[in-house]
């Protein structure tokens, strides 16, 4: 889970990796159609849309990694890197981290570990640099995309555990609404 502390209030948002793992565990087949296509990248002009979609592409990277789709992982990794650079987050995805990703791109277990580490490293980098607004949007994007995964999978392969996961998001949704409300008050995107 990602936990953000803004103005002394804690916001907890579950990691998209948890949902991706659940989806794979129930035997759901890989479906590229539920991912955000890389072609959409050119539409993201504001920091707001870039941060939100960095979270979405990060979740997509986790999803494709779960299924060992090396080619797709390479293109989602490139999308994550580009949006990170655009947002001035190169420190979160330094050369060493990117090289580790590229070396392990065909190893599912290593990729899952790396995606988790990148998530946490990015989060820590943002907090240290007082970029909570960006951090919150990245978390929100990842959360939206993982909910998209769960709902799409449940349509094709109903499952009690997935339904529970979707229902459990009510708490996270309340957090996200409050979180975004804070930005509205303090930031013009």
């Amino acid at each position: 889970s990602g936990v953000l502390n803004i103005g002394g209030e804690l916001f907890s948002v579950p990691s998209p990796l948890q949902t991706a793992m659940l989806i794979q565990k129930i035997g759901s087949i890989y479906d590229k159609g539920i991912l955000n296509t890389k072609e959409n990248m050119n539409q993201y002009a504001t920091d707001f849309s870039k941060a939100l979609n960095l979270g979405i592409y990060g979740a997509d990277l986790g999803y494709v990694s779960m299924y060992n789709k090396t080619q797709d992982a390479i293109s989602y990794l490139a999308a994550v890197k580009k949006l990170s650079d655009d947002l001035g987050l190169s420190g979160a995805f330094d050369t060493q981290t990117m090289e580790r990703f590229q070396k392990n791109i065909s190893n599912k277990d290593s990729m899952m570990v790396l995606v988790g580490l990148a998530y946490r490293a990015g989060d820590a980098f943002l907090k240290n640099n007082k970029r909570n607004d960006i951090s919150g949007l990245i978390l929100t994007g990842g959360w939206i995309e993982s909910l998209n995964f769960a709902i799409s999978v449940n349509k094709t392969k109903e499952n009690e555990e997935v339904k529970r996961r979707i229902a459990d998001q009510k708490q996270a949704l309340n957090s996200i609404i409050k979180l975004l409300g804070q930005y509205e008050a303090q930031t013009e995107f």
Side-chain angles (χ1 to χ4, degrees), residues 4 24 26 30 76-77 88 111 129 136 153 161-162 167 188:
L4 256 183
Q24 202 201 23
I26 66 162
Y30 180 70
Y76 280 102
L77 185 59
M111 277 300 284
N129 291 284
V153 163
E161 228 181 317
V162 173
E188 269 308 313

Side-chain angles (χ1 to χ4, degrees), residues 11 25 35 54 58 67 72 75 82 85 97 109 114 120 123 155 175:
F11 299 92
K25 191 182 94 181
L35 304 173
L54 176 55
Y67 289 92
D72 289 343
S75 73
K82 177 168 183 348
D85 289 347
T97 307
D109 295 334
L114 284 167
R120 284 192 294 282
D123 202 35
K155 280 184 193 160
S175 259

Side-chain angles (χ1 to χ4, degrees), residues 93-173:
F93 294 93
D94 57 12
T95 315
Q96 200 179 352
T97 307
M98 294 308 288
E99 281 171 5
R100 280 178 69 193
F101 267 118
Q102 279 148 356
K103 276 192 200 110
N104 292 288
I105 212 136
S106 58
N107 179 332
K108 181 182 115 181
D109 295 334
S110 294
M111 277 300 284
M112 295 314 296
V113 168
L114 284 167
V115 169
L117 287 173
Y119 222 80
R120 284 192 294 282
D123 202 35
F125 175 84
L126 288 164
K127 284 176 186 156
N128 293 339
N129 291 284
K130 305 279 186 277
R131 308 267 312 265
N132 278 341
D133 52 340
I134 298 289
S135 189
L137 289 167
I138 295 169
L139 282 177
T140 300
W143 178 80
I144 290 169
E145 188 71 329
S146 65
L147 196 54
N148 169 44
F149 296 161
I151 292 168
S152 301
V153 163
N154 199 56
K155 280 184 193 160
T156 55
K157 188 182 175 98
E158 275 201 34
N159 174 284
E160 283 312 307
E161 228 181 317
V162 173
K163 281 183 186 170
R164 249 193 325 277
R165 173 61 54 90
I166 294 167
D168 286 347
Q169 299 311 306
K170 188 173 182 206
Q171 191 64 48
L173 177 61

